[in-house]
Amino acid sequence: HLRGCWNWAKVAEQDSASQQRFEQLMTQHLASWPEAPTANQIRIWLAGRFQSASRWKSAFETYLGVAPNHELFGDALTRATYCADRWVEQNKPAEAASVATEITARLESLLSSSNAAAKAEIWLAIAEFGLHHGTVPPTRLVQPLADLVSQTESSQRSKGRALLIAAMAADPNVAT
């Protein structure tokens, strides 16, 4: 079935009428085999379709469906937060705040079922999105970011350090 989806993907690239069938095949695959080894790849393809069609909420949710232990989880999370920003931007200011809060809660919900490496990626996403949209109090970010800076690899450490500094600068009471 994955091979059939891949073949439809190639056809759909040149034929817009085939794109709907491609989405149907991927959705059917996920409904039939949600835990199969191929499911995460299908989620990434399907989310990419949603993203290219500016269906930001669907893309966000589908990217977040990628298992935290999957090798492409970090990439899927980065793409999810990009879609989340676009989803907030497409709303009127009065609605944008509640959408941003919903997105932050969804990101936080991933923490309970993730391994240590995925948690670090998730905290970075929460901090970046939360600071940008004002959905997470800076004081709440200091400890997880400080832990991340002291315990992770260099690429996460430097991003975590920058976000930690931003959190501390956003609230003068944080450092006390």
Side-chain angles (χ1 to χ4, degrees):
H1 200 262
L2 180 64
R3 181 69 171 173
C5 289
W6 187 85
N7 289 337
W8 270 103
K10 293 301 171 194
V11 171
E13 286 175 0
Q14 286 124 31
D15 178 19
S16 61
S18 298
Q19 291 176 7
Q20 185 176 8
R21 179 68 179 136
F22 177 53
E23 282 184 32
Q24 289 172 341
L25 283 171
M26 290 188 292
T27 303
Q28 179 186 16
H29 184 92
L30 290 174
S32 299
W33 304 288
E35 302 300 322
T38 55
N40 289 311
Q41 182 61 59
I42 292 291
R43 285 183 184 95
I44 290 169
W45 287 346
L46 184 58
R49 271 292 306 129
F50 293 149
Q51 182 177 345
S52 68
S54 301
R55 292 163 53 192
W56 305 118
K57 181 178 182 178
S58 296
F60 171 76
E61 286 295 341
T62 306
Y63 279 130
L64 290 189
V66 174
N69 63 348
H70 191 269
E71 64 185 317
L72 296 176
F73 175 75
D75 183 51
L77 185 61
T78 299
R79 292 174 188 221
T81 54
Y82 172 84
C83 293
D85 284 331
R86 304 297 82 73
W87 179 18
V88 170
E89 289 170 4
Q90 80 177 15
N91 284 277
K92 295 176 183 161
E95 299 159 351
S98 67
V99 169
T101 300
E102 177 184 341
I103 290 166
T104 301
R106 181 65 176 93
L107 290 169
E108 290 175 340
S109 74
L110 298 173
L111 289 168
S112 64
S113 63
S114 300
N115 59 32
K119 280 184 182 179
E121 293 282 347
I122 295 164
W123 271 115
L124 290 172
I126 291 168
E128 188 170 15
F129 185 85
L131 287 170
H132 179 73
H133 294 284
T135 56
V136 180
T139 53
R140 186 159 171 267
L141 295 171
V142 171
Q143 191 60 54
L145 290 173
D147 291 346
L148 187 141
V149 166
S150 68
Q151 298 171 3
T152 60
E153 63 187 56
S154 62
S155 65
Q156 290 178 329
R157 186 178 300 131
S158 47
K159 186 174 183 180
R161 187 176 296 124
L163 289 167
L164 178 59
I165 291 167
M168 293 175 79
D171 186 345
N173 298 319
V174 167
T176 59

